[in-house]
Structure formats: C-alpha cells, structure tokens
Amino acid sequence: MSDQANRFLGDSIGRTLIKLLVVSLIVGFVMTVFGLTPWSIIDGVRDFVLEIWYRGFSALGRVGDYLILGATIVIPLFIILRLFSYRR
C-alpha cells in the first residue's frame, strides 16, 4: 500500500505533507500581501464567466447580422451558379 501511495504522491507521505505545508504557507503569505481571499478569487472567476457569457451572446448577435447580410448575396449567387451548372 505504501508503494502505491508513494507512486501516486511522487514521494513519501511525510515529505509530501511537508512540501504541501511549505507551499501553502508561501501561497497564503503572497495572497495576504495582494489582499486576496478565496472568496474574492471565486467571485472574480464567477464574474469573468458571466462577462464572457453576456458578451458572447452579444457577439453572436453581431455574427447573426453578418450572416444575414452575407446570405442576401451568397444564396442568390449559389442558386444562379447551380442553375448554370445544372444545364451542363
């Protein structure tokens, strides 16, 4: 069992716990210096996703306008070209 745990963790359980404690301490210090909290990060990610969501739909609206505008030219040309090639 210990060999499987060591292989999964990449090192012994004790050394892995010490590494995680040191890295957690460093990350916690850096987050405190920058005034970050776990909740502010979660809120930031949520706001980022919502902003992309709202802007994405407005971008799709513009794409729809471009699609309709282009289709007014492309579809009649396609039909005309198909009719001319059908005669051959």
Side-chain angles (χ1 to χ4, degrees):
M1 177 70 177
S2 178
D3 186 44
Q4 290 176 343
N6 289 348
R7 189 171 36 202
F8 175 74
L9 296 174
D11 207 348
S12 68
I13 294 173
R15 289 175 57 102
T16 302
L17 286 175
I18 290 172
K19 289 176 187 177
L20 288 173
L21 285 172
V22 170
V23 171
S24 295
L25 182 65
I26 293 170
V27 169
F29 176 76
V30 170
M31 286 178 65
T32 302
V33 167
F34 288 109
L36 296 172
T37 64
W39 289 115
S40 68
I41 293 172
I42 291 170
D43 289 340
V45 169
R46 181 184 56 90
D47 293 342
F48 177 72
V49 169
L50 287 175
E51 187 68 24
I52 288 176
W53 181 268
Y54 294 135
R55 288 187 187 260
F57 281 122
S58 67
L60 288 178
R62 280 183 270 144
V63 169
D65 293 342
Y66 296 151
L67 180 68
I68 292 170
L69 185 61
T72 58
I73 302 297
V74 171
I75 290 177
L77 284 175
F78 174 76
I79 292 171
I80 291 169
L81 290 173
R82 294 301 292 171
L83 287 173
F84 283 128
S85 68
Y86 181 71
R87 290 188 179 176
R88 284 194 250 171

